[in-house]
């Protein structure tokens, strides 16, 4: 195991004890500090008390399922949540993303893919303003204020709580205000891998941002959808 005083902390929420042990050992071998929770209620308690750097959240859990865990903690927990589902249907994955999960994988998960997704989410969460090319540290438009130095978002002087992935996507759109960004471009810039044409993470993240900003999805004024092309931050 790699020893480091500044290990990133991961909460693995998985009720299959054998799988949890194998997964936690693999992640610890790659330099992470892993805590395992076997049910939803204890997971909520751990997240609220310890604020791990990342949560790997199984969908099917005793006492409280993964969707309810995510829904419960997301208003105050802004670090990445990676949801795991054994379902072959998209409905649970979509619901997870809609209520605040940052990414999802379908079980069984290839360990190297899991590791790659974790690294991408943590890298994105730890981005500092000095690592980003910005046209301005503060953007103000129609009551919306985004301060990149503080990584804060306010609307009509009210602070808006956004997750890391929501902030990164919003700021990416702002940096390219007036330019249509394709899903492929957004996906590559936020995750470092190509958009496969099917993943709905981007669309659902846009939907969450619009909801928080009060941007009418039927006729959005802030983040516009350009049919068959992508998204545009309107100046």
């Amino acid at each position: 195991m790699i020893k480091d005083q500044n290990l990133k902390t991961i909460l693995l929420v998985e009720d299959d004890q054998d799988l949890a042990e194998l997964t936690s050992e693999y992640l610890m071998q790659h330099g992470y500090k892993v805590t395992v929770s076997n049910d939803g209620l204890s997971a909520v308690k751990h997240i609220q008390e310890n604020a791990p750097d990342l949560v790997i959240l199984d969908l099917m859990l005793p006492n409280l399922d993964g969707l309810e865990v995510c829904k419960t903690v997301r208003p105050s927990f802004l670090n990445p949540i990676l949801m795991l589902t054994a379902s072959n249907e998209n409905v649970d994955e979509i619901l997870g993303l809609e209520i605040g999960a940052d990414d999802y994988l379908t079980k069984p998960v290839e360990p190297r893919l899991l590791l790659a997704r974790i690294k991408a989410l943590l890298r994105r969460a730890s981005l500092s303003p000095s690592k980003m090319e910005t046209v301005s540290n503060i953007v103000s438009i129609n009551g919306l204020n985004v301060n990149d130095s503080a990584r804060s978002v306010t609307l009509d002087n009210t602070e808006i709580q956004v997750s890391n992935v929501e902030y990164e996507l919003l700021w990416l759109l702002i940096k390219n205000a007036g330019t249509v960004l394709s899903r492929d471009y957004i996906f590559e810039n936020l995750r470092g891998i190509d958009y496969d044409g099917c993943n709905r993470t981007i669309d659902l993240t846009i939907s969450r941002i619009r909801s928080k900003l009060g941007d009418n999805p039927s006729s959005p004024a802030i983040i516009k959808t350009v049919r068959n092309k992508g998204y545009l931050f309107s100046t």
Side-chain angles (χ1 to χ4, degrees):
M1 177 180 172
I2 302 171
K3 294 184 178 180
D4 190 328
Q5 295 300 314
N6 298 308
L7 297 181
K8 291 293 186 181
T9 57
I10 294 177
L11 175 64
L12 173 60
V13 190
E14 172 59 69
D15 64 330
D16 184 328
Q17 295 189 6
D18 291 337
L19 179 58
E21 183 177 349
L22 288 171
T23 303
S24 61
E25 287 180 357
Y26 177 79
L27 294 177
M28 286 189 290
Q29 288 171 0
H30 286 81
Y32 298 103
K33 182 179 180 181
V34 182
T35 300
V36 176
S37 177
N38 300 122
D39 71 273
L41 289 177
S42 65
V44 169
K45 186 173 186 293
H46 182 91
I47 293 168
Q48 292 175 337
E49 293 180 354
N50 298 281
D53 293 306
L54 182 140
V55 175
I56 302 173
L57 182 60
D58 190 25
L59 181 66
M60 302 302 295
L61 296 167
N63 298 324
L64 200 66
D65 66 35
L67 292 175
E68 286 300 319
V69 171
C70 186
K71 185 177 179 180
T72 300
V73 304
R74 184 41 98 193
S76 60
F77 179 72
L78 301 181
N79 289 342
I81 296 176
L82 173 58
M83 185 164 283
L84 302 181
T85 172
S87 172
N88 291 323
E89 298 182 356
N90 291 329
V91 60
D92 291 331
E93 298 156 357
I94 293 171
L95 283 173
L97 292 169
E98 286 179 338
I99 62 175
D102 296 286
D103 200 355
Y104 68 85
L105 288 171
T106 302
K107 295 164 67 175
V109 181
E110 204 281 321
R112 288 181 298 176
L113 176 59
L114 175 62
L115 185 63
R117 292 290 181 87
I118 290 171
K119 288 180 177 179
L121 287 169
L122 289 173
R123 181 170 59 250
R124 188 167 66 203
S126 64
L127 269 176
S128 66
S130 63
K131 295 179 182 177
M132 300 176 62
E133 294 180 4
T134 61
V135 295
S136 173
N137 283 335
I138 301 176
V139 172
S140 300
I141 179 171
N142 298 327
L144 172 65
N145 290 273
V146 182
N147 186 327
D148 191 50
S149 295
R151 293 175 68 85
S152 65
V153 180
T154 60
L155 180 64
D156 296 330
N157 297 317
T158 300
E159 184 175 2
I160 305 298
Q161 293 294 322
V162 293
S163 69
N164 284 300
V165 67
E166 290 165 357
Y167 179 85
E168 292 298 334
L169 179 46
L170 176 60
W171 188 248
L172 181 65
L173 290 165
I174 288 173
K175 286 194 300 178
N176 295 276
T179 301
V180 179
L181 301 186
S182 68
R183 289 172 179 81
D184 184 79
Y185 179 86
I186 295 171
F187 207 83
E188 184 176 355
N189 276 266
L190 293 187
R191 294 177 53 168
I193 57 178
D194 292 334
Y195 173 58
D196 61 8
C198 299
N199 192 299
R200 294 196 60 193
T201 305
I202 295 166
D203 300 330
L204 293 169
T205 304
I206 289 285
S207 177
R208 293 204 305 269
I209 295 171
R210 281 176 173 160
S211 176
K212 292 182 178 183
L213 298 182
D215 200 14
N216 185 350
S218 301
S219 182
I222 302 172
I223 302 175
K224 297 185 177 181
T225 302
V226 181
R227 189 173 181 180
N228 298 324
K229 290 187 177 181
Y231 293 103
L232 168 73
F233 185 86
S234 181
T235 58

